[in-house]
Structure formats: structure tokens, C-alpha cells
Amino acid sequence: MPYGVRRQEKARDKLMSSGICQRGEEDEDVHGFLVDDIKKEIRRSSRLRCMKCKKVGASVGCSIKSCRQMVHMPCGLEQDFIFQFTDLFPSFCKKHAPSQTCVSSPSLPLSCSVCLEPIEPILSYNVLKCPACHGSWFHRNCVQHYAHSAAMFFFKCTLCNNKDQFQQEMLRMGIYIPERDAAWELEENAYEDLLQVYQHCDAVKCHSHKGRKYSSQSGYFEIVRCKLCGSRGTHRKCSNLKLYESDWICGDCKAAVEGKKSVPLPNHVESPLAIRQQRKRLFKNISDLHSSLISKRQCVAATSPEVLMDLAHQISQQQSTEVLVEDDDGVLEAALWVLRQSDFNPCCTLSVKFSQDKHSNNIRSQRRFLRRLVSKLQMSEIFEGPDGSKNLALNSKALRDDLYFEVGSLLALSLVHGGPPVGFFSPALYHSLFNYPTNYRPTLQDLGDTAFAHKIRQIAEAKSMKELRMAMQSASQYLEAAGCWRKIRELSEKDMLVEDVLNFYLIIRLQLPLQRFREGLRTLGLFEQVQMCTEAFHSVFCGPVERLTAESVMELFTVRFSEEKEQQEKENTTVDFWKKYLHECEEGRCAASLEDLLTFITATDSAPSIGFHPTPSISFFSSPDPSCAFPQSHCDASHLFLPMLPSYELFKKHLDYTVCQFSYQEFKKKKKKYFSP
């Protein structure tokens, strides 16, 4: 027997010896056992013979006084003795040992809650159970190893997590529980692995001259880990990530989220059966994940303004990004210049300044900037099709310059920062991006008025096989490029042919532009939120944008009445004037339009997708000289001050003059460069 084990057994013999007790302090002699007492116990036990090995020196006896069983401690373990490591450290022979009772019949099959091997649920010396839940069963050796590892601070039932009752019962049944911390807590550098993170670039082509394992503290060569699994990484430069981007998904996780079944298998060789089983499990997990995403999407009932407002909470009011714009024609160039800066952060407030504005108002300038930006993006080279119903165009230069990503990012920025609805996506483009509606099929209307659309329409409108063959021959180059050139035997087959061509032209050939466009829309988390609320955002992206009406403008404003009754009567009269003026604007009987009026008050001619914050409001003022009482606006708060005038004619005249004068000044700013010498 090894020396260390012999020392441990002798120490336990001292604890369990029947003729010795701990009369000293813990730090006195041998842990409180006095040397004289130990010598005396050795002399006593030298005359006692062990019932197992028949040798002398048996110092441990059964605590029942009438029982004369004496053993060495190791021999007692073989004879199913129970040693209780508590109180006076009593020992019990097999006949007098404590036992457990089973309250209810256990359900089969059962396994040991530590080693998970099968166990026969019959209580005995070698089979124990938890007294709290009665459902957790243990081999004695297993629960003893578990107690020695977990120790007093972590030793508890593996099923119900009961600690106090479980420990008391295990002590009663002879399980030794050390009074220390768990073994894993005492190991040096036990948690060192937890402090290590994945540091390896897994991009197809790594641009780092210092190798795939190099990671800088920040910048393009900082390794960004997959936000879903954390076990894949890439340098920002190797995956074309912006400096502010920290959300990246590896190919495996992206395939799982998008429901694709091209899941790679491990590199090590396995049996064909194991490979098939693993693929089956992986495909099931992908299917379950995709189903959960779809169900989650259908359960979200938030409106688009609510979602955008949640996203807008990311925007810091303390930090700002300066956007310098020459004029309305230079809005897109200014936006792209800012976006391409290495230190650009989309979470900063946009501080917009037009060079021609002497007195800059940030809210007015920002809303003007975003309104013109969306208009310019609609006319961008990456879009094609009729106004208000645009599709992505395939443009190799735009792909090379990554313009699809940049335009998607600018649209996301505009919506979250309070810009107008996009309103110019075609249903086919919205479906391609967000798969809504799920049963949507591209139509000829999605193509717009192009030469290609004209040729496909000839195929769709053919009324005989002769006309169909002529139309197909005329469009043969397009059909061959789309992989749709084939023999048609019946006229009814033309519908399937047209559908295949439309799918190729509007979806299949645009996969790379669509992917980069989606990545751009992920700016500030917009794309993921739209995916969960596709129905709510359909009107935001797809036109037409609803025109203003008198009723819709009235609903935007909250009226602030005074507390004095006499004043309220005059204010109610002014409110009636206001409503009448809105209706006449809608009917075209005023010098100003509803759009002009809204621009005067809020600095935008349409309600932002995120809504107005704060809510537009109206208050009133009186003037001793009604002829000089003109309306005033405070666009930062979207607040309108209306004068209380004696007649509607005077009210209309003053409001027309003020709004038209404002519109004229704005017009002069836009055209100033054309008239300047």
C-alpha cells in the first residue's frame, strides 16, 4: 500500500477509534488528539482482534454497546460498516447500520445520477437515494467521489439541487464530506481556458501580413468573432467590415439562420452511419431554428414607428458627426463621403450644415438633408424600373465600388435618424430582401418599361404557337442568358417560361447585389427588425407614399388650450379657422399647399417613418394690432403659434403670406447658385 494512503487510513482510524476522543484544541498535538491518549488507544487496541482479518489492532467497534464487533477501518469498509464523519464519529456494523426508506415506487429504467450507469432501485449499503426528491439514486462509491470533489460548499443533489437535507442524509449514511472548497476551485489556473477567446481569421483570403492569428487592439486587423457561435473569426479587412461594425456572422451560422442545408461536416473521418446521423441532427436543428424564426416573425405585432423608435435609442445625443453639404444636388456625395470615413459611427447624431445657410438650424437642416438623400438614392444607378417601384439593377461598377452596401446603409441611417419613408421599392424587391409576402411571384409590371420587358410581354401575350415561337426567337439572347431557352410544345407552357425568366432577371442574377444590400440595411440593426415585422414595414419601403390630407394633418397636431374660459372661446374659433384652412389647402383654394404648410412647421413635407418627436402642437397668441399678427413656427419642437384674429379672411391671408414667403426663401436658397455671378 502506498505511503500516502497508509497515512490517510491511519488518520481515519484515529477518528473512528472507539477508545479515544478529541480532548485538545485543533492546533494541539495531532489535530486535538493528545499524544498520551493516542498511545493509550494503541495499547488498548493491541489486545483486540479484527473480525475480518483476525489480526490484532482492531480499534473500531460498533457504537451499539451490546454489539462486540471490532474491525480495522479498511476491513470495516469491506464488511459494510458505516462510519459517520460527524459529531462523535460513531461507527455501525452491518446489522445495526442506519437504513433508508422509499416513499414511492421508482419509475424504470433508472440510472445513477453521477455515473449515469444503470442502477437497480433497491436500497442497500451500495445504493443510496436523495431524501428530498426521492428521484435521484446513487452508487455509494459514485456519491463518495462526488462528495470528495464538490466538498461541503458544492455538494448537493444532482437532480433537485437540495443541499442541507441531502448533506445531512449522506453524512448519516456514512459519506465523508470534506470541509473545504470544491476541488476544481483549488486547482491553480483552473479557469485559465475561460479567459481565452477565439483568435483566428477564418476568411477565405486573409490580408494580414502577420498571419491569421494576429489581432490588433482596434482597426481593420482586429479579429471580430461570430456573434452567434463565437468559434469563428475574421479580420475586419478580410470580410469588408467597417471600423464601427462588430456584428459578424460566420458562414455556418448564416446557413443555419437562413435555413440552408449546406452544413459542413467535421474534417475527421467517421463511419457512414455516424455521418448520416449527424447530418440528420444538424438538418433538424436548422429546420427547428428556421421555424422558430418564422414563428417569432409572425408573433411580433409592433408598428414600424415603435420599432424605429427602439432602434433610435442607440443614437447618442452627446456625440455628433458633421455633414457638410454644398447644396441639394450634393447631398448624396456628402453622405457617401461621411459614410466612407474610417471613424464613422452610425450611432452619432447627424449635425448637418448647408454651406449656403447663414443661420443653421440642425433639425431643419437634418430633415432637409434626409428628405433630399432618399430622393437622390431613388435615382441611384443601382436601381431601375418605374418611379415609385424600383428594382435593383445589375451594375458591375457599383459592385466593385460596393455601392449596394453603401446605399443600403444610407437608407437604414435615414429611417432610424428620422428620415421620410423610402416608398420606392417594388413588391418584387421587398420580397427578395425580406421574403414577404411569402407567396409573391414577380410580374411583368415589376420590369418597368424596358426593351427586355417589351420582349417578355410579347411572349406572355402570344395567342398562337406561331406568335410564341416568333416572340421567343426575338428574345432568344435573353432566354439563353437566363438558361430558359427550351422547346415549347403547347401554348400553356408560356406562363411557366415567363415565370422562370422573371425569377432569373429579378432574383437569381441579383444574388450578390441583394446580399450586399442586405448587409447595408443591417446598419443599426434595421434589417433584423424589419424581418420580424415585414408586414408593418411594407408601406415604409413600398410606395406610393400616402399624400397629405386635411384630416391626416389635423391628426398630427395636439392643440394646447389656455385655462381661461374667455380665452378658450377665441381659441376654439381659431381652431375652426385652422380646420377650414386645411380643407381649402387640400382643395387647392389657398396659395400654399399642405406640403408647404407642413414644411413651414416641421421642416419636412411628409411625416417621418419614425414619427414626430415631440408630437406637433399648436398654441395661440393675441396681438393688439391684428394686421401685423402673423403665424410663427418653431420647427425644433414642431410647434405652430397661431394668431387669434377676428375673421377667417384675415387668418387665411396672413397664413398664406407667411407660408408662401417661407417657401420662396427656401426656393431662393436652392436656386442661388444658378443666379450668382
Side-chain angles (χ1 to χ4, degrees):
M1 182 182 292
Y3 178 70
V5 175
R6 283 203 308 272
R7 284 188 63 190
Q8 188 177 29
E9 294 296 346
K10 288 182 178 180
R12 290 186 179 178
D13 273 338
K14 292 186 182 72
L15 288 175
M16 297 301 160
S17 293
S18 302
I20 190 173
C21 61
Q22 192 179 23
R23 295 192 301 121
E25 300 295 332
E26 283 289 336
D27 58 348
E28 190 176 356
D29 288 352
V30 183
H31 297 292
F33 293 93
L34 302 179
V35 174
D36 292 339
D37 291 341
I38 295 174
K39 290 179 179 179
K40 183 178 179 180
E41 177 61 15
I42 292 174
R43 289 194 296 270
R44 187 188 73 86
S45 62
S46 64
R47 300 189 298 268
L48 302 175
R49 193 171 298 275
C50 175
M51 60 164 289
K52 171 68 171 58
C53 65
K54 308 301 181 183
K55 295 180 181 179
V56 295
S59 62
V60 182
C62 180
S63 293
I64 303 300
K65 291 184 178 180
S66 59
C67 182
R68 307 300 298 172
Q69 298 270 9
M70 297 295 296
V71 291
H72 301 106
M73 185 175 180
C75 296
L77 293 173
E78 295 178 13
Q79 291 295 305
D80 294 350
F81 261 65
I82 283 182
F83 306 102
Q84 294 182 350
F85 295 88
T86 181
D87 297 331
L88 297 177
F89 298 93
S91 304
F92 300 93
C93 67
K94 184 176 182 179
K95 180 179 179 181
H96 300 111
S99 61
Q100 292 184 298
T101 57
C102 192
V103 177
S104 58
S105 58
S107 57
L108 297 175
L110 283 175
S111 61
C112 173
S113 295
V114 176
C115 69
L116 303 182
E117 292 294 327
I119 191 171
E120 189 175 0
I122 298 176
L123 293 170
S124 63
Y125 176 79
N126 290 312
V127 177
L128 306 175
K129 70 173 182 64
C130 173
C133 63
H134 302 288
S136 192
W137 294 69
F138 307 90
H139 295 119
R140 175 178 284 273
N141 288 337
C142 293
V143 76
Q144 180 59 76
H145 284 301
Y146 170 39
H148 190 268
S149 175
M152 183 171 291
F153 294 108
F154 292 93
F155 185 54
K156 56 188 176 182
C157 175
T158 56
L159 187 64
C160 67
N161 286 332
N162 182 284
K163 183 177 179 181
D164 296 335
Q165 193 176 352
F166 180 73
Q167 286 191 8
Q168 290 298 321
E169 179 69 1
M170 292 301 108
L171 286 171
R172 189 179 74 87
M173 295 306 297
I175 301 299
Y176 171 62
I177 308 174
E179 292 186 15
R180 56 168 169 78
D181 214 337
W184 57 81
E185 297 283 351
L186 302 177
E187 295 179 15
E188 186 176 359
N189 297 324
Y191 300 100
E192 185 177 6
D193 292 343
L194 298 179
L195 301 177
Q196 298 178 0
V197 295
Y198 190 80
Q199 290 285 88
H200 189 274
C201 176
D202 298 304
V204 176
K205 183 179 180 181
C206 181
H207 298 282
S208 173
H209 298 297
K210 297 184 179 180
R212 291 183 176 269
K213 293 185 178 181
Y214 172 73
S215 177
S216 60
Q217 293 295 323
S218 60
Y220 283 110
F221 288 102
E222 179 186 7
I223 288 182
V224 178
R225 284 165 289 280
C226 175
K227 71 175 184 179
L228 296 182
C229 68
S231 59
R232 291 289 184 273
T234 179
H235 293 117
R236 283 194 174 91
K237 186 175 182 63
C238 302
S239 294
N240 296 321
L241 299 178
K242 302 293 184 183
L243 285 177
Y244 61 81
E245 290 183 286
S246 58
D247 287 345
W248 174 77
I249 303 177
C250 67
D252 294 347
C253 294
K254 187 178 293 184
V257 171
E258 294 179 356
K260 297 179 181 178
K261 296 190 177 182
S262 57
V263 180
L265 292 175
N267 294 326
H268 61 275
V269 178
E270 294 182 343
S271 67
L273 177 60
I275 292 176
R276 286 197 298 271
Q277 290 175 342
Q278 185 175 9
R279 288 183 67 90
K280 186 175 180 180
R281 288 195 302 270
L282 289 173
F283 293 162
K284 183 179 185 302
N285 292 339
I286 290 172
S287 177
D288 293 344
L289 177 58
H290 191 250
S291 300
S292 67
L293 290 174
I294 297 298
S295 62
K296 183 179 181 182
R297 175 190 301 179
Q298 293 173 345
C299 291
V300 175
T303 62
S304 56
E306 291 173 340
V307 173
L308 292 174
M309 196 61 199
D310 285 341
L311 294 176
H313 289 153
Q314 305 172 73
I315 300 173
S316 170
Q317 302 300 323
Q318 286 72 38
Q319 296 178 313
S320 63
T321 297
E322 290 190 4
V323 185
L324 302 177
V325 189
E326 287 292 329
D327 50 43
D328 285 352
D329 291 336
V331 162
L332 181 55
E333 289 74 15
L336 289 174
W337 186 87
V338 171
L339 184 67
R340 290 166 181 170
Q341 298 306 301
S342 59
D343 59 347
F344 173 70
N345 185 348
C347 295
C348 293
T349 302
L350 298 178
S351 178
V352 182
K353 179 174 176 57
F354 286 83
S355 60
Q356 297 177 351
D357 289 354
K358 295 181 180 179
H359 304 288
S360 178
N361 180 295
N362 190 52
I363 294 295
R364 189 178 294 278
S365 298
Q366 180 179 322
R367 288 176 177 172
R368 173 185 169 188
F369 169 76
L370 295 176
R371 187 171 71 249
R372 292 297 301 164
L373 177 61
V374 172
S375 178
K376 287 288 185 180
L377 291 176
Q378 181 176 1
M379 297 183 288
S380 168
E381 58 189 314
I382 74 165
F383 294 109
E384 65 179 7
D387 291 342
S389 186
K390 298 283 188 178
N391 294 302
L392 282 185
L394 185 58
N395 187 306
S396 59
K397 183 178 182 301
L399 269 176
R400 185 170 61 252
D401 297 339
D402 208 13
L403 191 58
Y404 292 95
F405 171 86
E406 292 175 334
V407 172
S409 183
L410 289 177
L411 286 175
L413 283 169
S414 174
L415 288 173
V416 179
H417 281 264
V422 177
F424 61 81
F425 281 19
S426 70
L429 177 55
Y430 193 75
H431 168 76
S432 301
L433 289 169
F434 305 109
N435 193 33
Y436 178 85
T438 54
N439 59 349
Y440 182 82
R441 292 184 177 183
T443 65
L444 289 168
Q445 286 70 29
D446 294 319
L447 293 177
D449 188 15
T450 62
F452 170 73
H454 178 68
K455 292 182 180 296
I456 301 303
R457 285 193 183 91
Q458 288 181 334
I459 296 175
E461 295 169 359
K463 297 181 180 179
S464 65
M465 287 298 296
K466 182 179 179 180
E467 290 182 11
L468 179 58
R469 292 192 182 96
M470 291 178 61
M472 289 180 63
Q473 188 62 40
S474 176
S476 59
Q477 292 182 344
Y478 297 103
L479 296 178
E480 288 176 358
C484 298
W485 179 258
R486 56 180 181 253
K487 290 184 179 181
I488 300 294
R489 295 182 175 83
E490 296 181 5
L491 191 63
S492 59
E493 296 179 23
K494 68 177 182 179
D495 295 332
M496 185 62 70
L497 175 63
V498 171
E499 184 177 339
D500 290 344
V501 174
L502 291 176
N503 275 324
F504 172 80
Y505 190 82
L506 295 173
I507 301 175
I508 297 174
R509 75 188 183 102
L510 294 169
Q511 283 306 300
L512 183 54
L514 282 168
Q515 181 61 31
R516 291 306 295 158
F517 195 62
R518 288 190 194 99
E519 293 299 324
L521 288 172
R522 292 183 190 276
T523 302
L524 292 171
L526 178 70
F527 181 82
E528 292 81 358
Q529 294 301 317
V530 176
Q531 271 194 315
M532 292 189 289
C533 308
T534 48
E535 185 177 359
F537 275 91
H538 188 269
S539 59
V540 174
F541 284 91
C542 298
V545 177
E546 294 184 5
R547 290 186 59 84
L548 292 176
T549 64
E551 295 296 331
S552 64
V553 174
M554 279 191 288
E555 290 176 358
L556 288 176
F557 288 85
T558 300
V559 181
R560 300 178 182 175
F561 292 102
S562 59
E563 297 180 357
E564 299 177 3
K565 291 186 178 180
E566 294 182 1
Q567 195 77 358
Q568 285 183 9
E569 293 179 3
K570 296 179 181 180
E571 291 171 348
N572 282 321
T573 302
T574 306
V575 170
D576 293 337
F577 290 167
W578 165 252
K579 292 179 180 179
K580 185 176 180 179
Y581 181 82
L582 292 178
H583 283 289
E584 290 192 3
C585 280
E586 183 179 5
E587 296 166 2
R589 292 190 287 158
C590 295
S593 65
L594 290 173
E595 287 75 17
D596 294 335
L597 182 61
L598 192 62
T599 303
F600 168 68
I601 304 169
T602 65
T604 181
D605 59 358
S606 61
S609 299
I610 199 173
F612 286 107
H613 300 281
T615 303
S617 56
I618 295 174
S619 61
F620 310 92
F621 70 94
S622 58
S623 174
D625 186 2
S627 62
C628 298
F630 294 96
Q632 302 169 18
S633 69
H634 182 21
C635 66
D636 285 353
S638 299
H639 188 67
L640 175 63
F641 298 91
L642 288 177
M644 293 183 288
L645 300 173
S647 67
Y648 173 70
E649 288 73 18
L650 187 60
F651 178 87
K652 177 181 177 181
K653 177 183 175 181
H654 284 193
L655 198 52
D656 269 347
Y657 174 81
T658 304
V659 175
C660 290
Q661 186 69 16
F662 172 81
S663 300
Y664 176 69
Q665 294 297 329
E666 291 295 306
F667 176 78
K668 282 177 64 179
K669 291 177 184 177
K670 295 178 184 178
K671 298 300 180 180
K672 184 177 181 180
K673 67 173 185 176
Y674 297 108
F675 297 101
S676 58

